[in-house]
């Protein structure tokens, strides 16, 4: 029976269907099919042969056709395999067994949970029940599976966790990938079954192939990767992280990929529809097939699937639907959860010994990589767990000083490995590591009392000792508190804190039960078990650690026990012991000693007052912690004491440095007051000044010892110091305070200012005092020290000014006689009434003074007509009534409301006063009264007169009762007629109109006025404006506008008669809106001018929106306006819109391939268009061409053939590869997108790029012999040889000495004979030593290629002659019988010329080389040699290569003259000496991480790619002549990870490759002088080094030959010294042998042998007794009961 289609799945089958079996068959024979339908065949009761017949019939297979039936695991079906097939299995029909699947197929599975779901529920959910953030532990479950899958990998085991939070790639996802063994479809089905452990699961479809679970062999630390165990953790983890998981796996030796999706949403849907929940579909497909992925939410899946090709096996777990709180945690706490994973898998990634900084061992081949990608512009983050160096296990390992290893064994042969580590106390702190993310940084506390008491943090505290590692990985929240043998008993002698300084961990497999009573613990030393009592050995080890490693402080000189009220915590206020001194790390501190603090803000300087230690003590004691009371210095600045922890004492500080800092701080205190007299009128000490003399202004400055002006007290720590003011006080010596002022500091005038003082008029002695005060307290004392003050004593005497002196008449004689002269006594006074000396040549003068004023007319009141002036006659009389005349007799007259008038009566004693015309407004015809005042200032005579005015009735006072309003609305364009006026006087009476009055009437709206009409009271007609918005002003005036009236006319519109539209512009661009104008112009004729705006018309409101053309083509358009029945049309020219895109009109043929350094033959034609594709004539657009990657060098030549076309033709130069050319435009800084073109740059096979020289590198070069053959090959751009060049174009350069970069013209050219560029039979120079060979090829007239320089060492040839040390003189021989006269040569020393030189010759040669000219740093260094000063940066290092020296010096040019010091004190000294002009850097304030990081292209010891351009860290090229450790810190800080590469192209390619590997790339320098910043920016003058002769560069080291000679000199010196020591040793040996043979020595030897025999007899007796006692102890120990230890909650 045959069924087609998919059968319905049900939760349960009827009883009679239990033995039914259906099989799904996919016909996959044709490789070209796009879809393969599934067919279900009922195989109940059929054997394999029957099944084959059904298949042939169903699929119409002919008898001669062959096919293969396989399961989804590629197991070929036969008779037996078919019988083992289960119901609802899936079978593929293929042409052959290894045929690839053309399309994906589906396999229906069920994954009903195992029965253990209920019984084992809740055992393994530890990561979600401890109140912690369990996300990292959920990820660890998936890493466990990956470790198990990769356990049998022959090579590197790679596990990668990818976090994809970039919305452009789809919805957020977490992906875990590994290169493990993968899973078959059956194993994938088993994975889906919850609680199906590895002990009960079947991993194959056929029982005959099932192997079952095999426990791995024991390995150290249980690192067996057998972690994936229960069949629950993976499912729990994925559904804790998200709501959907996709399992993708390819097993080993399989061509198919199996894929399964489990979704919470799908489960809920099936449950709602009452379908079988635990059913699903496995997709079987070929690698790289992503046709089944639909939708944009999972776009990233296509990239994941594309990576499958070429992989032997793998598994990928893709989790989507990530909870938002998980996404936030993974992003913000990236370091937290990666650190936790590094702790969990510490020993898997670092090996059995862990991450030891000092001695790292071999690393396991396990690579766990984590990447997190977010939306641009955020950079991706990547980390390898092996790079984490602050996980807790790493901190435990590297902070421990000693370890105690042990093993625990049980009766069932179970083994537990354990390690305990000791973290000692070092003087002021516990070294037991704390979680850096759980504890605040201790360096930040200033006055906290957490660490100031006698007890600092108690190391481990009450936490358990042992962390538990199961099968090599940490089990979170599971720990063993302690064992009986390592706990502190009642009789323990060691302090309790020693036990708290121990950390530990245990390694075990799953089924070991530590709590069993018969567990035996044994110590392990160097991998060997030690017999003995584990408790005793642990106690001895702990005792040894305490004595060897713990360092405490000794408190000396106990004084008393006190209670401290300054401690905020009440329970910590008592008891506190006080001590006078301490001993700390070999250094003693005592009361009165200077000290400096560290890790405080600010740094404190002072003297020790006493030491505090919490607790009750009676004498000297060793303890931890403690505090010190410090009297802060200088006291004048602080005036208080401060208590800080003893740990904050800076042990490196010296008394000299502390005193100097105190002096520097004291020099900042106010020292004196400096008084300035800005008006150049200074008052010296004891000055004498006349009364009334002005004192000041006074400017005061508060100066410190350095001469700096102060406005505040020096600051202590953060914030500003206290504000200062200056008080000025003047006191008369009779203790009378004259003035007292307080001045604040004026920043604008740089000081404290006091204004002029004018009240110094009393005679006597005075004291001026200036006092510095604290603003907030007005105190003149700070810190127990008087603030600076200033005193000035002066005297005030009588006034000396003659002009200011006066006199008083004294009492006359009471009896005077007529005609008899008499005396008038006079008392001379100054201007302030003080008696004064009369001035010389004083002549008294007695005169009569004016007595009174006489005014005529004498009428009082006078009557005056309104509008007329008034005349007065005045006379000056004396007491007798006579007219008198004196100088300056000026009489003034003042009338109310009128200006003052005066007359001079000095000559005649009389005069006339004439006032201005009096004009008053008369009210109700009542006369007005005015008062007139007469006075003469000299005589002080005053007189008042009253004026009474009468009205002038014929004057016009106003225009009243005008028969119109102030604002008049009138029809626009109309005529206002019949306007009349009347005149009234001040009394309100109408004035008759006369010809004279009418002629004075003026109007402002017309000049044509009819006088006759005006006489009749009629005004000219008014023409109303035609524009409705125009309001006009009209005025009628009389007598030149002295009396007038005005009004305004507001035109109102008439009914409209037609419509008129006016545009402000006749041309508009597509997409542009016409401008809006808020105006309207109706008129009385009914013409309405619409300005395309919101306007009012009568009582209606109209909205006319600005039109615009949003699409279409350019051309003429018509706009129609309609209002009621009125229609108006306006034409407008529509042009192309704003440029919005670039179009490629024509381009070269594709594919576009260009030879390197060649141009593109056909130009690109680029059209500028708006967004609708219309050509735009806008010429403001700037078009540029960019390439990606930017390493493509190009030259563009734009030619404007048309206003909107750009023609681009360029040659290009770059490395081979693919490039994308992108045309971009910009208009007013706004980008305009354009097209892009793919360009392939191929190497030019005819372009020479280098010379390759091949020769026998092992050949020797004896002087005068023949050179070996040199084969010179011209290498093209594509790497192939070029044979078309003439051999004569190749030249060989040969010179003696070192490498030469420039000036090749000075080198020696060797004429060569080439046969195919092969050099033979050339003579080697006769001069022995170092020579350089270089070949060149002249390509053309301007271009020459050079090969690398070859260094050879020309050796001396075979000895050919003997030469004397010194040439003898020419001998003179004569015939003589005397032998001496016939001697030619006597005592001549001959030397073989090829032997080694002597020590003196080598020293002379070394000195000669040292004095040879070479590159030096031109910066003068004036500070080198001073205490703690290294020198300027430019002098600290040498650079051999000139190109490298140039670019490195330019890169740090701002730091080349910086002076480097070892201490901050030395830096401050130079800073003060140069008044801040010299930049300095102190190394005690600089931190650089230890060790050297590998280059970015190296990760975990492996190169990620082949780097171009020979990259190297720039700092490695620096040669330090001295202070190498300090210099290494300096240039690590200045240069960092800056890289040096040969050229710019290599640098760009290197940076691109580094970034593609998700690694940050530092700044790159090139030997050509270019720079690429760490942000990728290069080019421009700011990124190009200038010529070396314009820079201050590092010097060059001495030649290598110099160091070779120095080495030889040292060896010769050492050899000579060794010979001398040998001679002395031989002499000493001879003397020693003689001493050993002496009788006294022989006697001593005999006595020693006798005592040795006695000792051996004693030891023999002791051993017999000790053996019996040891045996009894062993028997007693075996009977002791083993104690039981307890495990905390969460036990295994």
């Amino acid at each position: 029976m045959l069924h087609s289609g998919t059968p319905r799945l049900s939760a349960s089958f009827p009883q009679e269907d239990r033995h039914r079996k259906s099989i799904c068959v996919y016909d996959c024979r044709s490789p070209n099919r796009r879809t393969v339908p599934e067919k279900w065949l009922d195989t109940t009761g059929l054997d394999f042969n029957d099944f084959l017949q059904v298949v042939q019939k169903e699929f119409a297979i002919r008898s001669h056709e062959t096919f293969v039936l396989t399961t989804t695991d590629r197991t070929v079906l036969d008779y037996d395999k078919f019988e083992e097939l289960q119901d609802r299995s899936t079978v593929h029909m293929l042409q052959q067994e290894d045929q690839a699947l053309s399309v994906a197929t589906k396999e229906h599975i069920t994954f009903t949970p195992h029965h253990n779901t209920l019984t084992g529920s809740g055992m393994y959910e530890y990561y979600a029940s401890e109140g912690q953030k369990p996300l990292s532990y959920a990820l660890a479950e998936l890493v466990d599976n990956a470790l198990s899958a990769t356990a049998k990998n022959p090579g590197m085991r790679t596990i990668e966790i990818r976090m994809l939070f970039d919305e452009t790639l789809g919805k957020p996802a977490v992906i875990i990938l590994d290169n493990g063994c993968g899973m078959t479809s059956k194993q994938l089905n088993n994975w889906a079954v919850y609680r199906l452990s590895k002990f009960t699961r079947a991993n194959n479809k056929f029982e005959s192939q099932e192997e079952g679970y095999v426990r791995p062999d024991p390995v150290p630390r249980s690192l067996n990767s057998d972690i994936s165990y229960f069949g629950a953790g993976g499912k729990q983890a994925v559904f804790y992280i998200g709501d959907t998981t996709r399992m993708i796996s390819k097993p080993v030796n399989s061509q198919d990929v199996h894929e399964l999706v489990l979704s919470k949403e799908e489960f809920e849907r099936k449950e709602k529809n009452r379908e079988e929940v635990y059913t699903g579909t496995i997709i079987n497909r070929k690698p790289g097939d992503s046709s089944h992925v639909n939708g944009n939410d999972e776009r990233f899946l296509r990239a994941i699937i594309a990576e499958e090709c070429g992989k032997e096996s793998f598994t990928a777990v893709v989790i989507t639907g990530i909870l938002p709180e998980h996404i936030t945690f993974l992003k913000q706490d990236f370091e937290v959860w990666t650190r936790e994973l590094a702790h969990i898998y510490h020993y898997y990634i670092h090996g059995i010994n862990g991450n030891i900084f000092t001695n790292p061992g071999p690393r396991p081949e396990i690579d766990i990589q984590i990447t997190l990608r977010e939306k641009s512009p955020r950079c991706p983050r990547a980390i390898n767990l092996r790079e984490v160096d602050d996980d807790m296990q790493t901190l435990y390992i590297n902070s421990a000083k000693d370890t105690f290893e042990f093993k625990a064994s049980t009766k069932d042969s179970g083994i537990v490995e354990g390690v305990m580590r000791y973290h000692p106390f070092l003087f002021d702190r516990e070294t037991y590591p704390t979680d850096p993310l759980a504890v605040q940084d201790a360096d930040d506390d200033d006055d906290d009392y957490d660490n100031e008491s006698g007890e600092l943090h108690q190391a481990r505290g009450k936490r358990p000792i042992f962390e538990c590692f199961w099968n090599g990985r940490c089990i979170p929240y599971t720990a063993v508190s302690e064992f009986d043998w390592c706990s502190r008993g009642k009789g323990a002698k060691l302090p309790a804190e020693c036990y708290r300084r121990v950390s530990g961990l245990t390694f075990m497999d799953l089924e070991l039960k530590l709590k069993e009573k018969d567990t035996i613990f044994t110590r392990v030393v160097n991998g060997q078990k030690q017999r003995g009592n584990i408790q005793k050995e642990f106690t001895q080890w702990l005792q040894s650690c305490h004595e060897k490693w713990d360092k405490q402080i000794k408190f000396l000189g106990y004084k008393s026990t006190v209670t401290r009220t300054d401690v905020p915590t009440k329970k910590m206020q008592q008891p506190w012991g006080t001590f006078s001194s301490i001993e700390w790390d070999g250094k003693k501190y005592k009361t009165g000693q200077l000290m400096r603090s560290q890790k405080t803000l600010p740094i404190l300087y002072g003297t020790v007052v006493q030491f505090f230690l919490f607790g009750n003590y009676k004498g000297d004691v060793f303890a931890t912690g403690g505090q010190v009371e410090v009297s802060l210095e200088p006291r004048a600045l602080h005036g208080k004491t401060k208590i800080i922890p003893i740990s904050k004492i800076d042990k490196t500080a010296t008394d000299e440095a502390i005193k100097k800092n105190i002096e520097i701080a004291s020099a900042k205190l106010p020292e004196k007051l400096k008084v300035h007299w800005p008006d150049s009128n200074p008052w010296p000490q004891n000055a004498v000044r006349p009364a009334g003399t002005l004192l000041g202004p006074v400017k005061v400055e508060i100066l410190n010892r350095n001469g700096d002006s102060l406005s505040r007290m020096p600051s202590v720590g953060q914030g500003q110091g206290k504000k200062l003011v200056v008080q000025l006080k003047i006191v008369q010596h009779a203790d009378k305070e004259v003035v007292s002022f307080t001045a604040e500091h004026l920043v604008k005038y740089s000081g404290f200012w006091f204004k002029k003082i004018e009240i110094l008029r009393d005679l006597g002695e005075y004291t001026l005092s200036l006092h510095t005060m604290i603003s907030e307290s007005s105190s003149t004392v700070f810190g127990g020290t008087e603030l600076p003050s200033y005193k000035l004593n002066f005297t005030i005497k009588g006034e000396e000014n003659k002009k200011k002196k006066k006199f008083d008449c004294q009492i006359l004689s009471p009896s005077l006689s007529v005609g008899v002269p008499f005396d008038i006594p006079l008392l001379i006074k100054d201007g302030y009434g003080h008696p004064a000396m009369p001035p010389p040549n004083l002549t008294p003068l007695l005169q009569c003074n004016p007595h009174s004023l006489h005014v005529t007319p004498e009428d009082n009141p006078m009557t005056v007509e309104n509008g007329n002036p008034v005349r007065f006659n005045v006379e000056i009389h004396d007491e007798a009534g006579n007219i008198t005349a004196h100088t300056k007799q000026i009489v003034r007259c003042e009338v109310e409301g009128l200006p003052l008038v005066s007359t001079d009566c000095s000559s005649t004693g009389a005069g006339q006063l004439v006032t201005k015309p009096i004009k008053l407004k008369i009210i109700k015809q009542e006369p007005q009264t005015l008062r007139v005042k007469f006075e003469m200032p000299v005589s002080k005579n005053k007189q008042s007169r009253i004026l009474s005015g009468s009205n002038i009735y014929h004057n016009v006072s106003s225009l009243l009762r005008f028969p119109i309003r102030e604002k008049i609305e009138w029809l626009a364009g109309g005529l206002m007629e019949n306007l009349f006026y009347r005149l009234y006087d001040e009394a309100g009476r109408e004035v008759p109109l006369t010809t004279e009055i009418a002629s004075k009437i003026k109007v402002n709206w017309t000049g044509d006025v009819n006088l006759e009409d005006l006489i009749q009271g009629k005004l000219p007609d008014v023409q109303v404006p035609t524009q409705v918005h125009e309001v006009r002003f009209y005025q009628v005036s009389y007598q030149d506008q002295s009396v007038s009236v005005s009004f305004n006319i507001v035109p109102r519109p008439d009914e409209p008669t037609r419509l008129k539209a006016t545009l402000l512009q006749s041309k508009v661009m597509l997409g542009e809106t016409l401008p809006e104008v808020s105006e309207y112009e109706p008129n009385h004729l009914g013409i309405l001018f619409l300005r395309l705006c919101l306007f009012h018309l009568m009582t209606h409101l109209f909205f006319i929106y600005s039109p615009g053309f949003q699409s279409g083509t350019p051309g003429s358009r018509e706009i129609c306006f309609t209002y009621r029945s009125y229609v108006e049309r306006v034409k407008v020219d529509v042009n192309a819109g704003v440029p919005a895109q670039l179009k490629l009109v024509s381009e070269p043929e594709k594919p576009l391939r260009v030879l390197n350094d060649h141009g593109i033959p056909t130009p690109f034609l680029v059209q500028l268009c708006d967004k609708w594709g219309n050509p735009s004539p806008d010429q403001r657009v700037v078009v540029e061409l960019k390439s990606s990657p930017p390493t493509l060098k190009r030259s563009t030549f734009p030619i404007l053939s048309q206003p909107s076309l750009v023609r681009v033709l360029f040659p290009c130069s770059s490395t081979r590869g693919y490039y994308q050319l992108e045309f971009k435009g910009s208009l007013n800084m706004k980008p305009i997108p354009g097209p892009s073109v793919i360009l392939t740059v191929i190497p030019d096979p005819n372009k020479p790029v280098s010379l390759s020289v091949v020769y026998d590198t092992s050949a020797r070069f004896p002087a005068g012999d023949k050179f070996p053959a040199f084969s010179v090959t011209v290498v093209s751009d594509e790497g192939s040889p070029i044979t078309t060049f003439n051999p004569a174009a190749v030249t060989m350069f040969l010179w003696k000495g070192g490498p030469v970069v420039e000036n090749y013209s000075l080198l020696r050219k060797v004429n060569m004979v080439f046969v195919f560029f092969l050099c033979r039979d050339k003579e080697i120079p006769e001069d022995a030593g170092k020579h350089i060979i270089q070949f060149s090829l002249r390509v053309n007239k301007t271009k020459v290629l050079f090969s690398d320089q070859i260094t050879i060492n020309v050796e001396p040839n075979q000895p050919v002659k003997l030469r004397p040390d010194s040439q003898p003189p020419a001998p003179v021989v004569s015939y003589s019988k005397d032998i001496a006269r016939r001697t030619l040569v006597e005592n001549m020393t001959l030397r073989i010329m090829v032997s080694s030189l002597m020590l003196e010759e080598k020293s002379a040669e070394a000195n000669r080389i040292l004095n040879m000219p070479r590159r030096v740093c031109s910066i003068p260094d004036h500070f080198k040699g001073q205490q703690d000063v290294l020198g300027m940066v430019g002098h600290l290092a040498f650079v051999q290569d000139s190109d490298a020296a140039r670019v490195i010096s330019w890169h740090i040019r701002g730091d080349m003259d910086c002076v480097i010091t070892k201490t901050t004190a030395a830096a401050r000294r130079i800073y003060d000496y140069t008044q801040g002009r010299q930049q300095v850097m102190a190394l005690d304030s600089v931190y650089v991480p230890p060790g050297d990081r590998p280059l970015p292209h190296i990760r975990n010891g492996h190169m990620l790619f082949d780097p171009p351009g020979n990259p190297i860290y720039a700092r490695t090229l620096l040669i330090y002549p001295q202070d190498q450790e300090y210099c290494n810190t300096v240039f690590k800080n200045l240069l960092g990870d800056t890289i040096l590469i040969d050229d710019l192209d290599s640098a760009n390619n290197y940076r691109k490759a580094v970034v593609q590997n998700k690694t940050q790339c530092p700044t790159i320098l090139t030997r050509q002088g270019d720079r690429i910043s760490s942000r990728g920016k290069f080019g421009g003058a700011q990124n190009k080094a200038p010529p070396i002769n314009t820079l201050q560069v590092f010097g060059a080291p001495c030649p290598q030959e110099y160091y070779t000679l120095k080495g030889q000199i040292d060896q010769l010196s050492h050899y000579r010294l060794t010979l001398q020591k040998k001679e002395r040793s031989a002499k000493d040996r001879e003397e020693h042998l003689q001493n050993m043979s002496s009788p006294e020595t022989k006697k001593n030897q005999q006595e020693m042998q006798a005592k040795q025999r006695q000792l051996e007899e004693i030891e023999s007796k002791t051993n017999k007794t000790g053996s019996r006692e040891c045996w009894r102890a062993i028997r007693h120990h075996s009977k002791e009961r083993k104690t039981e230890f307890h495990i905390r909650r969460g036990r295994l």
Side-chain angles (χ1 to χ4, degrees), residues 1028 1053 1080-1082 1088 1093-1102:
V1028 294
Y1080 64 95
E1081 298 181 358
L1088 181 65
C1093 63
L1094 171 64
F1095 65 93
H1096 285 277
L1097 182 62
M1098 301 298 287
T1099 60
H1100 301 282
L1101 186 66
F1102 292 85

Side-chain angles (χ1 to χ4, degrees), residues 1131-1405:
K1131 288 188 176 181
V1132 62
D1133 292 332
V1134 179
N1135 299 329
V1138 177
Q1141 59 179 327
L1142 296 174
K1143 286 187 175 181
L1144 206 57
V1145 178
S1146 66
E1147 59 180 315
E1149 296 182 359
K1150 294 183 179 179
L1152 185 56
R1153 304 181 61 173
V1154 182
L1155 289 176
N1156 193 8
D1157 269 348
H1158 286 65
I1160 299 176
T1162 305
F1164 292 94
L1165 199 59
V1166 182
Q1167 176 73 58
L1168 180 63
C1169 301
D1170 59 13
K1171 70 178 182 178
W1172 298 280
N1174 302 310
S1176 174
D1178 198 330
Q1179 298 192 16
R1180 298 174 298 166
V1181 177
V1182 178
V1183 180
E1184 60 179 346
L1185 181 63
K1186 293 186 177 181
S1187 65
S1188 178
T1191 53
L1192 181 70
K1193 298 179 182 178
R1194 63 198 182 280
S1195 301
T1196 59
F1197 304 95
I1199 302 174
L1200 297 176
S1201 57
Q1202 297 182 14
S1204 61
L1205 294 180
V1206 178
R1207 185 184 181 196
V1208 181
L1209 178 65
F1210 64 90
C1212 64
S1213 174
S1214 181
T1215 56
R1216 65 188 72 179
Y1218 295 93
Y1219 298 87
Q1220 183 176 8
L1221 302 178
E1222 186 175 2
F1223 294 87
K1224 290 186 177 181
S1226 62
L1227 175 62
N1228 296 330
M1229 304 301 291
K1230 294 182 178 180
I1232 298 177
S1236 61
V1237 179
I1238 301 299
L1239 170 69
T1240 304
V1241 178
I1242 58 178
D1244 187 359
N1246 298 319
K1247 175 186 174 183
V1249 295
S1250 63
L1251 294 181
S1252 174
V1253 181
V1254 179
Y1255 69 99
D1256 185 5
T1257 57
S1258 63
R1260 297 174 64 251
F1261 297 91
D1265 273 10
K1266 301 294 184 181
F1267 275 113
F1270 290 92
S1271 177
V1272 183
T1273 304
V1274 183
V1275 182
S1276 69
D1277 191 17
E1278 68 176 4
S1280 60
I1282 302 177
T1283 60
T1284 58
F1285 282 96
N1286 186 356
V1290 179
T1291 304
M1292 175 180 176
F1293 294 94
L1294 173 65
W1295 67 92
K1296 185 176 182 180
V1300 176
V1301 179
E1302 299 176 352
N1303 201 7
Y1304 286 97
S1305 61
L1306 300 179
L1307 304 181
R1308 171 188 173 193
K1309 293 184 180 180
V1310 180
N1311 296 325
M1312 309 186 65
V1313 178
F1314 287 91
V1315 180
F1316 298 107
F1317 303 138
L1318 192 64
C1319 171
R1320 296 191 183 91
D1321 300 332
K1322 294 301 164 185
E1323 291 186 356
I1324 300 174
E1326 296 180 358
D1327 297 335
K1330 184 179 179 180
H1331 287 70
I1332 304 297
I1333 297 176
Q1334 189 171 27
F1335 295 89
S1336 70
L1337 171 68
R1338 181 166 294 280
V1339 181
N1340 50 44
K1341 293 182 179 180
T1342 60
K1343 184 176 181 180
V1344 178
L1345 285 180
F1346 288 93
S1347 70
D1348 294 336
Q1349 296 180 1
I1350 304 172
T1351 302
I1352 64 172
N1353 186 23
V1354 178
E1355 301 175 351
N1357 213 325
Q1358 296 297 325
V1360 293
K1361 65 180 179 180
L1362 294 176
R1363 193 177 72 182
D1365 283 346
S1366 60
Q1367 194 69 27
V1372 179
V1373 182
S1374 62
Y1375 175 75
S1376 175
K1377 294 182 179 180
D1378 188 0
I1379 298 298
R1381 294 180 178 272
R1382 290 186 290 174
T1383 302
L1384 296 178
V1385 176
E1386 184 178 6
N1387 296 329
M1388 175 182 288
T1389 301
L1390 299 178
R1391 190 179 301 274
I1392 298 176
M1393 296 310 298
V1394 295
S1395 64
S1396 301
L1397 298 177
M1398 297 299 291
L1399 182 62
E1400 294 79 8
E1401 294 175 348
K1402 290 187 179 292
S1403 299
E1405 180 67 11

